């Protein structure tokens, strides 16, 4: 019996570097476009790099500006948008969705990984949602800062309403609840309520205008569907997606079956084996990029690609900031864990540089890319270079 290895194992065994993986991603995007006769953009933000969360990996306004620049001159009428994100700003989701619909006559979203919170908001603005079995959306209940932590806006308002109802029936609150309620300002209460309704209002608007645009008759009785019926269905879905009591966790994965149970029809990518193979490969290339390099965000079309990298964590430079000829840095490979000692020169033909070279320290690469001698992983050092030059106010010389 012959067993076929998984896509992820296939890419890992190929030991592809960052540039090779990005080339593979572009090839897959081209294959997708040829099959679907559309224009695909890939947007993916990592949940974390080597276990460390990066705030910039979430969806925010900078993503809107980059996507706007990448797509504003595109001639296609149809756009497919592959999205992976841990969540982010609802306001950024709104800007991105409005731009896409102002530019393209048909917008569909492709979900094979996680598109949580603000990512779910964006996805629900599409005329269609394509999902693999591994794909998931998430609850849209806003997370608001209360005290020293973030809590569900839905839970918070439910608790407040419970206390209002209790006080109305009993004429007073128990001492503990009275103390807690006394700390809530009217402005805070209004802000929490607005945060909750913001996401719901967007979902109602977008589902009514786009997802339900061609919904003409009901499935069972074949009755004509009115605009009021579309908004009523959209409101039901929005309320359920923001119902923290139903999902229990803001990070909960909402799969195809869950969405269908809510009354939201989804196109199953796995029904088309050729398309599914391309989409799963796109997902795995992204995973390998995030796990084997410092890349934490990717924007790509078949013509353009932009990545963001985190600075590798190394030991601080040992040289004095007052007068330096060179600086020593320890770099750890994010894939195999091997550590390497590098030196960066700020003065040409320095005796110190000769001494460091004789001690088998690696000279800082001119390309700012260190190829791990052990596993061939490309380690992007541009963040380290920028940090060194900012710290010592000198340019590295090569």
């Amino acid at each position: 019996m012959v067993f076929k290895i998984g896509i992820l194992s296939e890419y890992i065994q190929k030991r592809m570097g960052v540039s090779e993986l990005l080339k593979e991603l572009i090839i897959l995007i081209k294959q997708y476009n040829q099959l679907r006769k559309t224009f695909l953009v890939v947007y993916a933000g990592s949940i974390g790099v080597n276990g460390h969360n990066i705030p910039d990996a979430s969806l925010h306004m900078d993503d809107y500006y980059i996507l706007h620049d990448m797509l504003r001159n595109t001639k296609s009428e149809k756009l497919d948008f592959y999205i992976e994100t841990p969540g982010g700003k609802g306001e950024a989701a709104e800007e991105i969705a409005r731009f896409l619909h102002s530019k393209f006559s048909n917008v569909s979203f492709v979900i094979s990984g996680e598109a949580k919170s603000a990512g779910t908001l964006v996805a629900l603005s599409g005329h269609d949602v394509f999902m693999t079995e591994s794909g998931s959306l998430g609850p849209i209940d806003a997370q608001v800062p209360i005290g020293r932590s973030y809590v569900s806006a839905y839970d918070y308002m439910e608790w407040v309403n419970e206390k209002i109802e209790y006080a109305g029936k009993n004429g007073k609150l128990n001492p503990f609840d009275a103390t807690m309620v006394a700390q809530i300002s009217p402005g805070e209460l209004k802000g929490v309520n607005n945060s909750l309704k913001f996401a719901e209002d967007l979902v109602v608007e977008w589902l009514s205008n786009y997802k339900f645009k061609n919904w003409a008759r009901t499935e069972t009785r074949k009755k004509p569907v009115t605009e009021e019926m579309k908004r009523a269905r959209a409101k039901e879905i929005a309320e359920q997606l923001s119902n923290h009591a139903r999902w229990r966790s803001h990070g909960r994965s909402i799969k195809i079956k869950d969405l269908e149970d809510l009354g939201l029809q989804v196109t199953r990518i796995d029904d088309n084996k050729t398309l599914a193979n391309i989409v799963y490969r796109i997902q795995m290339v992204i995973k390998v990029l995030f796990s084997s390099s410092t890349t934490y965000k990717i924007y790509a079309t078949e013509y353009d690609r932009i990545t963001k990298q985190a600075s590798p964590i190394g030991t601080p430079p040992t040289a004095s900031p007052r007068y330096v000829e060179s600086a020593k840095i320890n770099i750890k490979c994010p894939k195999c864990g091997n550590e390497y000692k590098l030196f960066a020169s700020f003065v040409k033909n320095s005796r110190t540089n000769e001494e460091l070279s004789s001690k088998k320290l690696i000279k800082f690469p001119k390309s700012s890319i260190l190829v791990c001698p052990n596993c061939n992983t490309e380690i992007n050092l541009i963040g380290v270079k920028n940090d060194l030059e900012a710290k010592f106010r000198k340019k590295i010389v090569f």
Side-chain angles (χ1 to χ4, degrees), residues 24-69:
E24 174 72 2
L25 180 60
I26 300 303
I27 291 171
L28 291 168
I29 292 174
K30 288 180 179 178
Q31 292 175 354
Y32 182 100
N33 287 342
Q34 290 170 2
L35 183 64
R36 282 267 301 144
K37 307 301 180 187
T38 187
F39 188 87
L40 177 69
V41 60
V42 170
Y43 166 80
S46 174
I47 293 176
V49 175
N50 301 323
H52 299 282
N53 291 329
I54 300 175
D56 189 45
S58 63
L59 191 149
H60 51 77
M61 284 302 296
D62 192 43
D63 298 323
Y64 160 69
Y65 294 117
I66 292 173
L67 290 167
H68 185 282
D69 182 67

Side-chain angles (χ1 to χ4, degrees), residues 261-305:
D261 288 344
L262 293 177
L264 191 68
Q265 294 301 310
V266 173
T267 299
R268 294 172 177 261
I269 293 176
D270 291 82
D271 290 344
N272 183 330
K273 291 184 178 180
T274 305
L275 181 64
N277 182 60
I278 295 172
V279 172
Y280 279 124
R281 285 183 175 277
I282 289 173
Q283 181 188 5
M284 290 303 110
V285 167
I286 291 169
K287 286 196 175 298
V288 175
L289 273 166
F290 287 161
S291 63
S292 64
S293 74
T294 58
T295 303
Y296 65 87
K297 189 169 278 188
I298 299 167
Y299 316 78
T301 68
E302 68 171 279
Y303 305 112
D304 198 6
R305 68 189 187 204

